Amino acid sequence: MPATASIRKQMDALRTQLHYHAHRYHVLDEPQIPDAEYDRLFRELQQLELEHPELLTADSPTQRVGGKALDGFAKVRHKVPMLSIRTETDIEETGAQSFDARVRRELGLQGSAPPVEYVAELKFDGLAINLRYEHGVLVQAATRGDGEIGEDVTQNIRTIGQIPLRLPADAPAVLEVRGEVYMRRDDFEKLNEVQRQKIAGGAKAEKTFVNPRNAAAGAVRQLDPAIARQRPLSFFTYGWGEVTPAEQGGPVFETQYQAMSTLGSWGLPVSNRTQLAVGAAELIAYHRAVGTERDVLPFDIDGVVYKVNSLALQRQLGFVTREPRWAVAHKFPAQEQMTTVQAIEVQVGRTGKLTPVAKLAPVFVGGVTVTNATLHNEDEIRRKDVRIGDTVIVRRAGDVIPEVVSVVIDQRPSNAPIFTMPALCPVCGSQAVREEGEVDHRCTGGLFCGAQRKQAILHFAQRRALDIEGLGDKLVDQLVDANVIRTLPDLYRLGLTSLAALDRMADKSAQNVLDGLERSKRTTLARFLFGLGIRHCGEATAKDLARVFGGLDAIMDAGVEQLLEVPDIGPVVAQSIHTFFCQLHNCEVVEQLRACGVTWEEGPAQARAPRPLAGKTIVLTGTLPTLSRDEAKDLLEAAGAKVAGSVSKKTDYVVAGTEAGSKLDKARELNVPVLDEQGLREMLNGSA
């Protein structure tokens, strides 16, 4: 039957009540009614919507959950790109000073100018989401994606109680809200306990989740919103995208903090740790305070974020590439946890390096569950005295490989054996040697070592090298294990019959690999050099060599002194390249590859650039007027200088800017010449 005016009014009142109490519960943590009463109101609205489906609205609390599985996620092009924020590489408190100095320099502020005002906030460890509201109603939610195009995850986002489905009447006609979907630590533990119980009960395809961030991201990308609702998600707002402009009735914001406060007043959850900070000193204080609380916060963070508060100054600062100059993410020092060493194994790399690796009892550190940690080399094991059975402190910072920091000697078992590096390669049985002056042991088996052959072939075939399509890990394993491939040139001698005879390789797949090998024959000198896997010769070095020498023969014949004339190549890299091409078997591999048809264009040798500061050691300190620290370092290294981090008697010059600090004092104490930026430029030009 048609809905009466009173029924419409009743349904509107129920929606208003439910939105209000959901906000009190999920955002403010101050519920005013018990769960049973909320459930009663919810069921009442649900029944009315069933009886009057024409009155069902997209912002109804009942629409937070959808039971129909989606076929997939539609793509969403962001009206305003979701750009990334630069990460401050200095994880100490001085990183805040560096950011403040950059901002002041970009704004042209002198030392006597007032401090810049910032907004400091937590850097949540979750999944970035863009919420689009039109006329106050949530109409779309999308992931960041590549910053330009994300995935439409509206159905799943509706399951998050903290996200309002409708905004108050004073919200603009169009408002895009940027924020982070995350999972609280207690919710994560409860979720994993449920998963463990399911596994114990014999449920198939169940698993525990590695960390809250992954669990949250997986929930957002569930095709079935009903499954997403089972994973307790939370949300914090930190910014905005498209907003109705002021001339069309949109809000007028003058500062970041004012905008965030307004978003909070519209019912969007804003962290109470978002605060104003004036100048570098208050940024440091914020970084320090949050760092001490990090482990007791109810959710994971991986740093803090600083933003210039004035929107006018933000516009003045602008962007560099895809990152704003007015914001930076400042991460914390590494997190550490205790665990035990269950074994020490030795891995063999593609260059023959033997690396001892501690096999650990699983431990959650730095956002992931860690089971392995590098021990680097025998000297490092001796220095830290790591033994099997030891309780150790493990550190993981960002995406850096986990490492053992130290041993808890008091907890060492009485029978813990001392580890020694093996005399033979654990893969091929060849002798393992440690060259004079080296810290690493290396297998002498070369291309006869299965570990090195496989890794050398995979390195040679990767996209950034020869880019051999279809030649992946499993196929290389088969080719090497079956002794079909012993050296790189053997790749180009493969036939259709030998490939098709391998497991899971039909004629068509085999032909695709052969076609990929044929295409890879036409390459560039830089790609070929990188593909050879020369120690210390990465992509950038390979490009520099190709550009300066022009041809491969000139590189192969070059002495160490000639190689040192290439920008950014130092003694270690030069010696490594020279040694590689002094080995007859390496030269033989190169000639065979050429004979197999691998070709590239060569050009004339480039004139060697002058290196006026070759052999000089220089230290940078303080803030220069127009050059950033990285820019000054690049200029010095291009001129042949070594840029050191500390002042000693071996330092030739110190280049000092404002707020130079203790390095300047040390230079004066040791009578090391001190230059300003003008002096630096004169020295680089050869006029000093």
Side-chain angles (χ1 to χ4, degrees):
M1 58 180 289
T4 63
S6 63
I7 291 176
R8 290 176 183 271
K9 187 175 180 179
Q10 181 183 3
M11 293 175 73
D12 287 342
L14 284 168
R15 291 188 186 109
T16 300
Q17 282 182 279
L18 288 166
H19 283 311
Y20 172 77
H21 289 298
H23 179 68
R24 301 287 306 186
Y25 181 87
H26 293 289
V27 179
L28 302 180
D29 286 329
E30 297 176 354
Q32 291 185 336
I33 59 174
D35 291 348
E37 178 61 11
Y38 182 90
D39 292 342
R40 188 189 65 78
L41 295 172
F42 187 94
R43 288 194 297 269
E44 184 178 347
L45 175 60
Q46 198 172 40
Q47 184 60 39
L48 288 170
E49 288 175 343
L50 286 173
E51 295 172 359
H52 304 282
E54 72 278 10
L55 298 182
L56 181 63
T57 61
D59 64 307
S60 173
T62 64
Q63 298 306 295
R64 287 195 185 276
V65 183
K68 182 181 178 182
L70 304 176
D71 295 328
F73 295 119
K75 302 302 179 186
V76 175
R77 180 172 292 278
H78 299 300
K79 301 288 185 180
V80 177
M82 296 184 71
L83 303 180
S84 57
I85 293 180
R86 180 181 182 275
T87 298
E88 176 57 56
T89 55
D90 181 0
I91 60 176
E92 302 301 327
E93 293 177 350
T94 48
Q97 290 178 317
S98 300
F99 173 63
D100 179 60
R102 284 198 303 272
V103 169
R104 294 182 66 84
R105 184 170 61 248
E106 294 287 346
L107 293 174
L109 299 178
Q110 300 302 315
S112 59
V116 177
E117 188 176 68
Y118 299 96
V119 170
E121 60 191 34
L122 305 180
K123 186 177 184 297
F124 307 106
D125 193 13
L127 185 71
I129 292 291
N130 183 77
L131 308 176
R132 184 175 178 86
Y133 291 88
E134 293 180 0
H135 304 290
V137 176
L138 177 64
V139 296
Q140 188 181 74
T143 60
R144 181 200 298 273
D146 63 1
E148 298 284 347
I149 298 176
E151 299 169 322
D152 188 334
V153 289
T154 309
Q155 250 93 327
N156 292 341
I157 294 301
R158 288 181 181 278
T159 69
I160 302 175
Q162 286 179 306
I163 295 178
L165 300 179
R166 176 184 286 277
L167 301 180
D170 59 338
V174 173
L175 173 65
E176 287 189 345
V177 176
R178 268 82 193 268
E180 198 91 355
V181 171
Y182 67 97
M183 187 176 291
R184 289 171 55 96
R185 290 171 178 166
D186 53 355
D187 287 332
F188 174 74
E189 291 300 327
K190 292 175 185 175
L191 176 63
N192 260 353
E193 182 58 30
V194 171
Q195 296 298 101
R196 284 189 284 268
Q197 291 176 4
K198 289 181 179 179
I199 294 171
K204 295 182 179 179
E206 294 292 342
K207 64 175 183 178
T208 56
F209 298 97
V210 175
N211 57 54
R213 198 269 174 201
N214 287 357
V220 170
R221 293 194 173 100
Q222 277 289 332
L223 291 179
D224 186 350
I227 296 177
R229 186 177 183 269
Q230 296 172 9
R231 301 187 188 177
L233 300 177
S234 299
F235 179 81
F236 271 129
T237 305
Y238 58 68
W240 60 92
E242 184 183 18
V243 183
T244 300
E247 56 267 27
Q248 297 178 21
V252 179
F253 298 137
E254 295 182 353
T255 68
Q256 179 86 17
Y257 193 77
Q258 176 195 10
M260 295 306 297
S261 298
T262 303
L263 291 175
S265 72
W266 288 336
L268 292 153
V270 177
S271 170
N272 59 8
R273 292 310 309 269
T274 300
Q275 64 186 59
L276 291 173
V278 179
E282 291 191 12
L283 291 182
I284 290 173
Y286 182 84
H287 182 268
R288 184 183 300 133
V290 173
T292 59
E293 298 174 21
R294 183 183 183 189
D295 290 336
V296 298
L297 290 172
F299 42 78
D300 285 351
I301 61 170
D302 54 4
V304 295
V305 176
Y306 312 134
K307 299 175 182 176
V308 173
N309 190 32
S310 167
L311 299 187
L313 292 183
Q314 287 187 12
R315 290 188 289 270
Q316 181 179 337
L317 288 163
F319 296 79
V320 54
T321 59
R322 294 173 60 85
E323 298 175 344
R325 288 190 176 92
W326 45 265
V328 72
H330 190 189
K331 294 197 173 182
F332 292 116
Q335 287 184 302
E336 300 177 349
Q337 295 288 354
M338 287 173 54
T339 185
T340 56
V341 178
Q342 297 179 327
I344 298 178
E345 297 180 356
V346 175
Q347 296 179 350
V348 184
R350 64 177 177 81
T351 62
K353 176 183 174 181
L354 273 60
T355 302
V357 175
K359 312 300 286 187
L360 307 171
V363 59
F364 192 77
V365 55
V368 300
T369 299
V370 171
T371 56
N372 297 325
T374 180
L375 294 170
H376 300 290
N377 51 62
E378 188 174 40
D379 286 353
E380 188 74 357
I381 295 178
R382 292 286 174 271
R383 184 178 70 82
K384 295 176 180 176
D385 192 18
V386 181
R387 305 183 189 184
I388 298 171
D390 274 343
T391 296
V392 294
I393 297 174
V394 179
R395 174 190 294 149
R396 180 183 183 273
D399 293 327
V400 177
I401 297 171
E403 66 170 342
V404 172
V405 177
S406 60
V407 176
V408 183
I409 297 295
D410 291 346
Q411 298 186 31
R412 167 171 289 167
S414 58
N415 60 345
I418 296 175
F419 176 81
T420 56
M421 288 292 289
L424 302 178
C425 171
V427 173
C428 70
S430 299
Q431 186 179 7
V433 299
R434 178 177 174 176
E435 297 177 0
E436 185 176 352
E438 291 281 333
V439 297
D440 297 317
H441 287 70
R442 295 187 179 277
C443 167
T444 58
L447 292 178
F448 294 100
C449 178
Q452 293 179 70
R453 282 206 300 271
K454 290 178 182 179
Q455 292 304 312
I457 293 168
L458 288 169
H459 180 79
F460 184 78
Q462 68 169 284
R463 180 178 56 82
R464 295 176 296 166
L466 275 290
D467 193 17
I468 304 174
E469 190 174 347
L471 196 65
D473 295 44
K474 293 181 179 179
L475 179 55
V476 169
D477 284 345
Q478 290 191 75
L479 290 169
V480 172
D481 292 344
N483 215 25
V484 176
I485 297 293
R486 295 185 62 83
T487 65
L488 295 178
D490 289 343
L491 287 170
Y492 296 99
R493 301 180 183 121
L494 287 170
L496 183 64
T497 303
S498 59
L499 276 173
L502 298 173
D503 290 344
R504 297 182 295 277
M505 284 290 287
D507 287 352
K508 184 176 181 180
S509 299
Q511 188 60 54
N512 288 340
V513 174
L514 293 177
D515 292 343
L517 284 162
E518 190 62 33
R519 286 192 296 270
S520 74
K521 290 181 179 180
R522 188 66 179 171
T523 185
T524 67
L525 177 54
R527 281 176 171 268
F528 182 79
L529 283 170
F530 176 61
L532 291 177
I534 305 170
R535 283 187 68 205
H536 308 303
C537 184
E539 288 179 90
T541 300
K543 289 177 182 177
D544 288 339
L545 288 168
R547 183 178 65 253
V548 171
F549 286 94
L552 180 61
D553 289 339
I555 297 171
M556 294 175 69
D557 294 338
V560 172
E561 291 302 319
Q562 290 176 286
L563 292 167
L564 282 171
E565 294 179 5
V566 179
D568 298 326
I569 288 186
V572 173
V573 179
Q575 186 62 55
S576 178
I577 296 168
H578 179 67
T579 300
F580 180 88
F581 287 117
C582 283
Q583 305 300 313
L584 293 179
H585 64 270
N586 291 333
C587 296
E588 178 65 22
V589 168
V590 170
E591 293 309 315
Q592 287 187 31
L593 287 169
R594 281 172 156 174
C596 289
V598 179
T599 61
W600 54 84
E601 291 185 6
E602 296 193 346
Q606 189 181 84
R608 305 293 195 269
R611 293 166 64 84
L613 302 181
K616 301 294 184 183
T617 299
I618 297 174
V619 172
L620 295 167
T621 182
T623 302
L624 300 177
T626 65
L627 290 173
S628 70
R629 182 71 61 89
D630 289 341
E631 289 169 342
K633 182 179 179 182
D634 289 344
L635 289 172
L636 287 166
E637 289 181 339
K642 174 187 175 183
V643 180
S646 59
V647 180
S648 70
K649 292 180 180 179
K650 296 182 179 180
T651 304
D652 293 291
Y653 296 97
V654 168
V655 179
T658 58
E659 302 177 3
S662 61
K663 292 179 184 178
L664 179 58
D665 296 335
K666 185 71 172 178
R668 289 168 176 163
E669 178 186 331
L670 297 174
N671 294 319
V672 175
V674 178
L675 304 175
D676 58 10
E677 184 178 319
Q678 181 63 31
L680 167 64
R681 291 186 180 277
E682 291 175 357
M683 185 168 61
L684 289 168
N685 293 331
S687 60

